[in-house]
Amino acid sequence: MAELVSGENLIPEHIPGSTIDLVTEFGILWDFIKMPLVVPLLQLAVNICLAMTVMLFIERLYMGVVIILVKLFWKKPEKRYKWEPIREDMEAGNTSFPKVLIQIPMFNEKEVYKISIGAASNLAWPADRLVIQVLDDSTDHNIKDMIEKECERWASKGVNIWYQIRENRGGYKAGALKDGLTHDYVKDCKYVTIFDADFRPEPDFLQRAIPFLEFNPKIALVQARWRFVNSDECLLTRMQEMSLDYHFTVEQEVGSATHAFFGFNGTGGVWRIAAINDAGGWKDRTTVEDMDLAVKSELPSTFKAFRFQQHRWSCGPANLFRKMVLEIIRTKKVTLWKKVYVIYSFFFVRKIIAHMVTFFFFCVVLPITILVPEVEVPAWGAIYIPCIITTLNSVGTPRSFHLLFYWILFENVMSLHRTKATFIGLLDAKRSNEWVVTEKLGDSVKNNRLNSKRNFMPTLKKFKFNFGDRIQFTELGFAAFLFYVGCYDFMYGRNNYFIYIFLQVITFLIIGVGYIGTVVPST
């Protein structure tokens, strides 16, 4: 066995352009540093990964137990909090309805601006008690003109809609939201609802959400769940649905039921404006509550858009953790238990550990241990606990349970980008404040498919292969590394990890050549 795991087996016996002396020298060097240096360092890395795995397992198990108790014994939000429909007062008229501001931040939203403006304008709420504010930071003047004309069209129908632009994009979306609250015509608004440009609220959204705030003064936020209009568009959107459904149906439900911290999702929520002001504006955070509402939105269906979105979602919490952890520790307004919860559970485990352990353990450390069999990885850490965690993660989307194994492989690949973004956020590096708006396709892809079916002779468009957008060299590099490790395990290994590794190679390869998501041709 010693001969099988010697350094000479790590590379082929004959390399073009090399000599047997080079192979021998490499083997001698490997044997010299392996036991005193490589094995202890790798065993330390394994132990750290196992510790992170246990931390994540305990967190997932805790949320699993709580969500079961919530579903079995907790009352629904309408019963847990005071809720009753708001009705028009025969004497006071519409003044019994609080005045609500709808904010729709936009940035070059060519495909979806009509959807969100139309949905907001059709909300069932007294017209004189509703203000719609389109916050347009677009840089394309043609798109700005189209959005402004759409606002004018709804204004001509009696909708109280305002088109607002700024001189610069300072603060990006948060800056636009903050600036929108400074206008005189919103001073008497009690609540503010934020919808991204791809969100499509049902007409009764405010009728269902506002009573929670109106009759419960201590509630600061009503956060709606997201439902996705394009979840069946491609495999990429199905994978995203599985990840996000767990966040909404488990993580946020547990946070609400236990009155713990959880993050505002940036859209699809109704805020009490006084709570925003008390917290110091959009740069700060506060405790919140959620409810069982849903609002339709769009998932990024191109891999490039999804990658940028995941960078922002992973980098942002890590950067916020860096900047606010000392402030959280020092504050006297929060109990010790809630400080521990928000620092350890909310930030450290969910926003940092969850990404790192997936990438380092399953894409780096575990494959390397195949090349160094002196390092032991217990089966409970490599197989059993990860399988339990994965099963717990899948409860949010039971309809996609048959895709669970591919979802694991896909999440392992995406953990590469999330881990990178997490380190950028923790180190406050150059891209930590990068804001790339997620590209939305709206109904354009569906409409193009319908038009192609209607035409017997569809017009052929010249397809331009965008090499920079399609080819991902990092993924291809990991595919090559794991392929070598898989081949080595097939020839010399003991645990048959090559079955999983070759499947992971295929996933890295598929994503590396850009064969995932919706491909939008360029003409």
Side-chain angles (χ1 to χ4, degrees):
M1 188 62 182
E3 181 183 355
L4 292 178
V5 297
S6 67
E8 296 181 1
N9 286 321
L10 292 177
I11 57 176
E13 292 183 5
H14 301 288
I15 303 177
S18 68
T19 64
I20 190 64
D21 291 335
L22 178 62
V23 177
T24 303
E25 290 177 4
F26 177 83
I28 294 172
L29 176 63
W30 173 252
D31 290 335
F32 179 75
I33 66 172
K34 182 175 64 173
M35 293 306 296
L37 182 63
V38 176
V39 172
L41 288 177
L42 189 56
Q43 188 65 62
L44 176 63
V46 169
N47 293 338
I48 292 173
C49 288
L50 290 175
M52 291 193 294
T53 301
V54 172
M55 292 166 63
L56 186 60
F57 170 70
I58 294 173
E59 175 70 15
R60 291 293 189 266
L61 186 62
Y62 159 75
M63 288 192 289
V65 171
V66 174
I67 198 63
I68 291 174
L69 294 175
V70 167
K71 296 301 182 183
L72 292 178
F73 303 109
W74 261 252
K75 296 178 181 179
K76 290 187 176 181
E78 292 85 350
K79 302 293 185 180
R80 212 173 349 169
Y81 304 102
K82 184 179 179 181
W83 189 97
E84 61 183 62
I86 300 175
R87 295 183 175 87
E88 181 179 354
D89 189 284
M90 297 301 295
E91 297 181 359
N94 290 336
T95 56
S96 58
F97 290 82
K99 199 166 186 179
V100 180
L101 171 67
I102 306 292
Q103 289 187 319
I104 309 176
M106 291 195 176
F107 180 77
N108 295 334
E109 308 287 1
K110 180 180 179 181
E111 301 294 346
V112 295
Y113 72 94
K114 286 186 177 181
I115 295 173
S116 56
I117 293 175
S121 299
N122 284 313
L123 287 170
W125 201 255
D128 61 331
R129 311 300 293 170
L130 186 66
V131 180
I132 299 175
Q133 195 178 62
V134 178
L135 306 169
D136 188 13
D137 279 352
S138 299
T139 55
D140 188 311
H141 292 289
N142 293 327
I143 296 177
K144 292 179 75 169
D145 289 340
M146 290 189 294
I147 295 174
E148 185 174 14
K149 289 179 180 178
E150 183 68 9
C151 293
E152 292 173 351
R153 186 174 74 85
W154 282 103
S156 66
K157 296 181 179 183
V159 176
N160 187 8
I161 185 169
W162 296 76
Y163 177 75
Q164 301 290 164
I165 59 175
R166 300 187 294 163
E167 293 183 359
N168 59 71
R169 291 185 67 208
Y172 301 109
K173 177 180 175 180
L177 296 176
K178 185 175 182 179
D179 184 73
L181 293 176
T182 63
H183 296 279
D184 291 336
Y185 59 85
V186 304
K187 296 297 183 182
D188 56 345
C189 290
K190 190 175 182 179
Y191 307 112
V192 58
T193 305
I194 297 100
F195 292 122
D196 281 353
D198 58 316
F199 273 65
R200 313 175 184 190
E202 297 293 338
D204 66 345
F205 179 85
L206 294 179
Q207 293 176 334
R208 298 177 61 196
I210 295 297
F212 283 95
L213 293 160
E214 188 70 1
F215 301 118
N216 300 275
K218 292 185 178 181
I219 292 181
L221 165 70
V222 174
Q223 173 65 64
R225 292 175 179 171
W226 298 357
R227 290 291 179 264
F228 310 105
V229 296
N230 65 332
S231 59
D232 291 325
E233 183 174 317
C234 58
L235 190 58
L236 176 61
T237 56
R238 289 293 291 272
M239 297 297 101
Q240 295 176 69
E241 181 190 38
M242 293 180 71
S243 299
L244 290 172
D245 278 352
Y246 177 81
H247 169 68
F248 284 105
T249 60
V250 179
E251 286 184 344
Q252 290 207 322
E253 182 71 20
V254 169
S256 174
T258 58
H259 299 275
F261 285 94
F262 71 82
F264 172 50
N265 295 311
T267 183
V270 186
W271 274 95
R272 188 185 301 274
I273 294 180
I276 296 176
N277 295 332
D278 289 344
W282 287 110
K283 290 185 179 181
D284 297 300
R285 296 297 183 266
T286 185
T287 56
V288 291
E289 295 290 343
D290 79 356
M291 59 174 288
D292 192 14
L293 280 175
V295 57
K296 295 178 181 177
S297 64
E298 179 182 334
L299 291 163
S301 55
T302 65
F303 184 68
K304 179 181 179 181
F306 178 58
R307 201 171 70 246
F308 278 124
Q309 181 201 67
Q310 293 300 297
H311 172 86
R312 189 171 73 248
W313 286 5
S314 301
C315 180
N319 193 241
L320 181 65
F321 176 69
R322 170 195 170 99
K323 293 178 178 179
M324 294 198 67
V325 63
L326 292 179
E327 184 178 344
I328 294 171
I329 293 173
R330 291 169 184 164
T331 184
K332 297 179 180 179
K333 297 180 180 180
V334 180
T335 64
L336 177 61
W337 165 246
K338 287 193 174 183
K339 288 181 183 180
V340 173
Y341 175 84
V342 72
I343 292 174
Y344 173 79
S345 180
F346 180 80
F347 275 116
F348 190 61
V349 176
R350 298 186 205 173
K351 309 300 182 183
I352 298 175
I353 293 297
H355 305 323
M356 291 186 177
V357 69
T358 303
F359 171 66
F360 284 118
F361 196 19
F362 295 102
C363 298
V364 179
V365 174
L366 189 62
I368 293 178
T369 61
I370 293 173
L371 304 177
V372 188
E374 289 87 353
V375 177
E376 293 290 337
V377 181
W380 61 263
I383 301 173
Y384 303 135
I385 285 184
C387 287
I388 296 173
I389 293 175
T390 302
T391 303
L392 292 173
N393 284 343
S394 67
V395 298
T397 316
R399 78 183 189 98
S400 298
F401 191 79
H402 62 287
L403 298 173
L404 185 60
F405 192 76
Y406 182 76
W407 178 72
I408 297 171
L409 301 172
F410 175 76
E411 285 292 293
N412 286 349
V413 176
M414 289 310 303
S415 68
L416 162 66
H417 298 283
R418 293 175 183 138
T419 300
K420 178 183 176 182
T422 299
F423 275 115
I424 290 174
L426 288 174
L427 299 174
D428 201 18
K430 185 177 180 180
R431 289 186 64 196
S432 62
N433 295 316
E434 179 185 65
W435 183 283
V436 179
V437 176
T438 305
E439 178 188 21
K440 293 108 179 175
L441 302 180
D443 295 328
S444 59
V445 173
K446 181 175 67 176
N447 293 336
N448 288 338
R449 289 171 181 167
L450 291 174
N451 291 334
S452 298
K453 290 179 180 179
R454 291 192 187 104
N455 298 328
F456 291 102
M457 295 291 291
T459 303
L460 296 177
K461 294 183 179 181
K462 184 180 178 181
F463 181 77
K464 182 180 179 181
F465 183 81
N466 193 328
F467 189 83
D469 287 345
R470 296 294 300 278
I471 301 299
Q472 312 295 328
F473 290 103
T474 305
E475 281 84 349
L476 292 178
F478 266 93
F481 162 68
L482 291 175
F483 179 74
Y484 172 75
V485 172
C487 291
Y488 185 87
D489 187 58
F490 177 76
M491 293 185 293
Y492 306 114
R494 298 169 296 176
N495 297 316
N496 295 325
Y497 286 148
F498 68 86
I499 300 173
Y500 150 75
I501 289 176
F502 283 145
L503 291 172
Q504 191 68 72
V505 167
I506 295 172
T507 309
F508 267 107
L509 187 62
I510 290 173
I511 296 178
V513 297
Y515 201 74
I516 186 170
T518 300
V519 178
V520 182
S522 301
T523 56

